[in-house]
Amino acid sequence: MKRVLAPRALAGMLASMLCVAACPVARAADNSAVERRAVTFNHAQTNYMLHCGGCHGTLGLSPPHSVPLLRGQAGWLVCDAQGRAYVDGLPNVTRASLSDADLADVLNFVIFTLGATPGSVHAAPFTAREVGVMRAAPESTVPLHLRRQQAVERIIKVCGAPQSLLDYKPM
């Protein structure tokens, strides 16, 4: 029987292969021996890989129409209060099996490093206290795709985010 990989599994494998391919390689002076240096991740990056990278890709590049891209885009979401509230209320964020401090670190990695944009330049980093407060608040009754569309339309208008943020359309 032929095994077919689910799109997310395939995307995760491809992203992992890209990550491995992008690892730094140092060659000996005579080029006869290759020494591969291990890629090391800090605590926030490790938690991202374990809790987010499976869907969003290890490099923040997810397949079209599965989940929104993070690389070079997520930072726009914190340029105003509505976008930040959208991030704060994402179900997979609020329910992550991480401490408030670890989740704040992952959000800061995603927003300010992986997804850095001009929209994130003046935004405050997430704190453990903010994460704790958002987790204690009830989730919005507005469907997630509508909350995202509202937040993105606003940050395009208010912050000058690119129209391409509207390209994500869930299947």
Side-chain angles (χ1 to χ4, degrees):
M1 178 159 80
K2 190 173 184 179
R3 184 175 177 209
V4 178
L5 290 175
R8 283 190 181 162
L10 182 59
M13 285 176 41
L14 291 174
S16 295
M17 291 185 328
L18 285 174
C19 184
V20 170
C23 292
V25 176
R27 297 194 183 269
D30 66 354
N31 286 334
S32 62
V34 175
E35 175 193 334
R36 293 184 186 265
R37 287 184 267 165
V39 175
T40 57
F41 299 106
N42 66 28
H43 193 64
Q45 292 167 324
T46 299
N47 278 328
Y48 169 83
M49 295 288 284
L50 293 172
H51 297 275
C52 313
C55 293
H56 286 287
T58 57
L59 302 173
L61 301 170
S62 54
H65 308 295
S66 62
V67 294
L69 292 175
L70 298 178
R71 180 170 288 292
Q73 294 187 3
W76 285 111
L77 295 171
V78 295
C79 74
D80 87 329
Q82 184 178 353
R84 191 173 184 105
Y86 166 74
V87 172
D88 278 351
L90 288 169
N92 288 347
V93 171
T94 60
R95 295 181 188 141
S97 61
L98 295 168
S99 70
D100 293 346
D102 284 345
L103 182 54
D105 288 344
V106 170
L107 288 172
N108 289 328
F109 167 68
V110 168
I111 297 295
F112 300 104
T113 302
L114 187 66
T117 67
S120 60
V121 171
H122 300 293
F126 287 90
T127 64
R129 184 167 190 247
E130 177 184 5
V131 168
V133 168
M134 74 146 175
R135 284 176 151 177
E139 293 182 26
S140 172
T141 57
V142 177
L144 184 59
H145 71 282
L146 292 179
R147 283 192 301 150
R148 182 182 190 285
Q149 182 177 341
Q150 292 166 353
V152 168
E153 286 174 352
R154 178 170 168 80
I155 64 173
I156 288 170
K157 183 189 298 184
V158 173
C159 306
Q163 290 283 328
S164 62
L165 288 177
L166 287 171
D167 291 347
Y168 168 72
K169 303 281 191 243
M171 293 174 79

